[in-house]
Amino acid sequence: MDGNRKKKGLRRLLLFIAAEFLLAALTVWMFDPFYQYHGPFFGMEAVLNDRDNQMPGTVRNFSYDSVLMGSSVAENFDSSFLDGTYGCRTLKIIRASGSVADLLYYLEMAQERGELRNVFWCLDIPALEASTEVTLKGGDTPGYLHTAGILDDLPYLFNKEILLERIPAMLAYSHAGINTGGHAYDWSRGKEFGAAQAMRAYDRAGIVLEGEPPDRDFSDKKGLIGDNVALLTEQVSSHPETTYRFLIPPFSMLWWDCAYVNGELEERFYALDSAVTALLRFENVEVYCFQQEDWIVCDLDNYMDMVHYGPEVNQYMLERMAACGNRVEPEDWEAVLAQLRELARRISQEEIYRYYP
């Protein structure tokens, strides 16, 4: 009798443990904070605040016909403005550093679901010099994020952090309307913007120049820049029914002065010129340049560091694009590039000294 009771007790214990595991897995599957299996249930809005973990699932499982792409400087765009303006349904695709190869990885995943109507791409100049290798896999990145099957998802389904932290936070954010709707991945809440904050990222006062800094030789970079431009043009040419709108964002004058003192101005202009010249050859491409907006670039109150601006600048870019403002036509590009060169000269010779006397 004692032996039978022990066996029954052991079976009950095992059944109880199995039920707990099943309940945990069902809870994670149902709420699914990384959206590995489905969009949000129960009428909840999607809470998108973890770009690295949520990006693959949202690309696979959300409903959209357009995408808004870029690095961290693109996260504060309100994509609902695009939906209302262009009559589309936009998904944000964000990658830290925004390399061309990594963003194309997600874009090609999205296009496997069907031809997109619009690609809004906030194209950083540094992305044109980034590695052409996809860096989304390996290291600390969970492999299960990049597979559609469930067989490798045990670290996700049975995860204390997911159950006790991620899901409650998702519910709280959804209730408060944080990082929902068009404000997916928006990081501006609670951040400090202003000249004092921006200048902490760049010690221009500690730099002593003796004459003009010589231009660095970047012949070794030209091949890499060409490879990235080729990735862009191959993407555009392969999808003639998709309209690509590239926005060149306005990095601050700190970024441009840093390029000047390091002899990198020509390298940056070469990268930008190579990309824009190549892209403007396509009928399904529009290019909008905001780097020459000196009232933004030269006012450090718009920034929190050398490149990151506030959401007001993001909204300005969308509104100008919607009105076809700042659009670069093929015949205009040389004049715009000359304007950029003059602004870079004026920054290093005049404007920077308003903040660094």
Side-chain angles (χ1 to χ4, degrees), residues 281-295:
R281 298 191 182 108
F282 295 90
E283 292 185 359
N284 60 326
V285 166
E286 298 174 8
V287 176
Y288 298 84
C289 187
F290 297 91
Q291 187 61 72
Q292 75 275 24
E293 295 275 22
D294 57 354
W295 66 273

Side-chain angles (χ1 to χ4, degrees), residues 296-315:
I296 297 175
V297 172
C298 296
D299 184 355
L300 295 185
D301 285 337
N302 292 316
Y303 296 86
M304 61 174 286
D305 54 30
M306 293 170 67
V307 300
H308 292 95
Y309 38 76
E312 297 82 4
V313 176
N314 293 86
Q315 186 61 25

